[in-house]
Amino acid sequence: MPFADVAELHNAIIDRDPSDFVSHYIFEPIPFAFSSDFDKWVSWKTTLAKGLEVDPYDIVLTGSGAIGFSLNPYKGFSAFDDRSDIDCGVISAYHFDLAWRHLRQLRPSWLSLSNAAKRAIESHRKSYVFTGTIATDSILSILPFGKVWQTALTNMAGIDPTVGRDVKLRIYKDYDALRQYQAMNISRLRSTLLSSVEDQTPIDIEI
């Protein structure tokens, strides 16, 4: 386990440069969900990659499945458990460009989409695409490759260690986009944690 507890995770977020944190705990190690089993990790992402029609090297786990704890402060940095999803980054300039071009062309037919899909597309227009990211959670079904990818995700629900788990995908245009997106989140967490520490620091008052 990369971190013995949440306090150790917090210390790493504060002490390490955000980009360095991403390298040490997300890009390089065997993801936490695979219990240090390198063969299982390679086999799992090879199967997923075949279904997504990408190279296995271009699949990276993020979130609690990667490091053992959620990086979402609203979830209280909760530990990875039996109910945790698997958050997966897919680095593919091809799928990123295909998805973004399709989303742009969809504008005339937005009225036929669900409210969730409309909100997701609007979020992409305002923020995600700027960071080289496509969050497929609410829009996979409307993407050109959505049916193929959904079949791959359904298949992964029967393969250890993702049996019974939801595998959620985000597409990144390149590795720099993934690094920058994750580092930006770590930077925000660091600022929040440092502010919390400062708020709890006693102030000496001379009388």
Side-chain angles (χ1 to χ4, degrees):
M1 175 184 270
F3 305 105
D5 51 35
V6 174
E8 191 171 310
L9 168 62
H10 288 180
N11 288 336
I13 291 173
I14 291 172
D15 293 341
R16 286 191 179 275
D17 174 81
S19 183
D20 189 45
F21 181 99
V22 173
S23 289
H24 274 78
Y25 302 115
I26 297 178
F27 275 16
E28 301 300 338
I30 301 169
F32 177 83
F34 291 82
S35 305
S36 301
D37 190 329
F38 180 74
D39 288 340
K40 181 185 288 187
W41 163 231
V42 172
S43 176
W44 183 90
K45 68 174 180 173
T46 297
T47 300
L48 177 58
K50 184 176 180 179
L52 301 182
E53 299 178 344
V54 300
D55 191 274
Y57 188 76
D58 294 328
I59 290 178
V60 178
L61 255 60
T62 61
S64 62
I67 66 173
F69 292 95
S70 171
L71 291 175
N72 186 340
Y74 298 107
K75 294 182 179 179
F77 296 96
S78 56
F80 183 81
D81 60 24
D82 293 339
R83 297 168 298 174
S84 298
D85 296 332
I86 297 292
D87 297 312
C88 191
V90 180
I91 296 89
S92 174
Y94 170 77
H95 289 94
F96 176 88
D97 290 339
L98 186 60
W100 179 228
R101 186 177 298 113
H102 184 71
L103 292 177
R104 285 187 304 179
Q105 294 171 346
L106 267 181
R107 182 174 287 276
S109 60
W110 275 18
L111 291 178
S112 64
L113 300 177
S114 68
N115 288 332
K118 291 176 185 175
R119 288 193 297 269
I121 293 173
E122 188 64 16
S123 293
H124 281 84
R125 186 182 69 81
K126 291 181 177 179
S127 57
Y128 284 130
V129 172
F130 178 77
T131 60
T133 306
I134 299 286
T136 69
D137 302 36
S138 301
I139 62 172
L140 185 57
S141 63
I142 63 175
L143 295 178
F145 47 86
K147 188 174 182 178
V148 172
W149 279 31
Q150 188 56 62
T151 298
L153 294 180
T154 300
N155 182 42
M156 300 313 293
I159 300 176
D160 189 51
T162 51
V163 175
R165 297 184 187 274
D166 287 333
V167 180
K168 297 182 178 180
L169 304 175
R170 286 199 174 193
I171 305 168
Y172 295 89
K173 188 172 179 65
D174 50 37
Y175 275 92
D176 184 63
L178 173 56
R179 180 183 297 278
Q180 293 300 321
Y181 189 91
Q182 295 295 322
M184 182 172 59
N185 185 44
I186 297 299
S187 183
R188 284 197 295 259
L189 292 176
R190 174 198 262 183
S191 296
T192 300
L193 291 172
L194 287 173
S195 295
S196 177
V197 170
E198 290 173 356
D199 289 343
Q200 296 174 22
T201 301
I203 300 176
D204 293 329
I205 302 177
E206 293 185 3
I207 301 178

